Amino acid sequence: MPEQLTKHPEVTLQVLRSSGAECAQGAAQKILTQCPAERFCKLPGGEICVFGLPDAPRMTQMTAADWRALVPAAPAEASKPDGSFGKGVLLSGGVGIMAGAIIGMLAMRLWRVRT
């Protein structure tokens, strides 16, 4: 029988109740014995345990590997999702501009000396 994770557990429990589920009424838990009584629902076809986001660590059917698989790898700093540049890109761009300015000034001095 499944454990369900939702951002709105109270709404989910209400929807289940409206469809005839016995939720948080002390029904016998035959399979989901670790489910908190206030989150347990019994339906004619089985049992369900509804968890809110803060209660996710209490879920028993998800392993650490399952949770890691849900979280994508952190994006590289240079490619932020909001379109902004990372500190490294700005720093390297600033260094490039400074180096170009210095090289340009030296080239101007050398050109003046030769003419």
Side-chain angles (χ1 to χ4, degrees):
M1 294 294 113
E3 292 178 330
Q4 300 294 315
L5 180 62
T6 177
K7 191 173 183 179
H8 305 286
E10 295 305 322
V11 173
T12 303
L13 290 169
Q14 182 56 42
V15 169
L16 288 166
R17 282 186 198 106
S18 71
S19 63
E22 294 178 48
C23 298
Q25 297 177 350
Q29 297 176 230
K30 295 180 181 176
I31 298 170
L32 297 173
T33 58
Q34 300 297 314
C35 182
E38 69 276 6
R39 298 289 184 210
F40 177 78
C41 293
K42 186 170 184 89
L43 295 128
E47 301 174 353
I48 191 168
C49 190
V50 180
F51 286 94
L53 294 177
D55 301 316
R58 296 171 59 190
M59 295 177 76
T60 61
Q61 296 175 352
M62 297 284 285
T63 65
D66 293 329
W67 291 114
R68 281 191 297 274
L70 294 174
V71 180
E77 188 176 348
S79 60
K80 292 187 176 184
D82 63 359
S84 64
F85 294 105
K87 295 177 218 167
V89 172
L90 294 176
L91 181 61
S92 64
V95 169
I97 290 172
M98 293 286 286
I102 292 170
I103 291 169
M105 289 171 45
L106 290 173
M108 289 292 290
R109 284 190 184 182
L110 286 173
W111 182 70
R112 284 185 189 164
V113 171
R114 289 186 177 189
T115 56

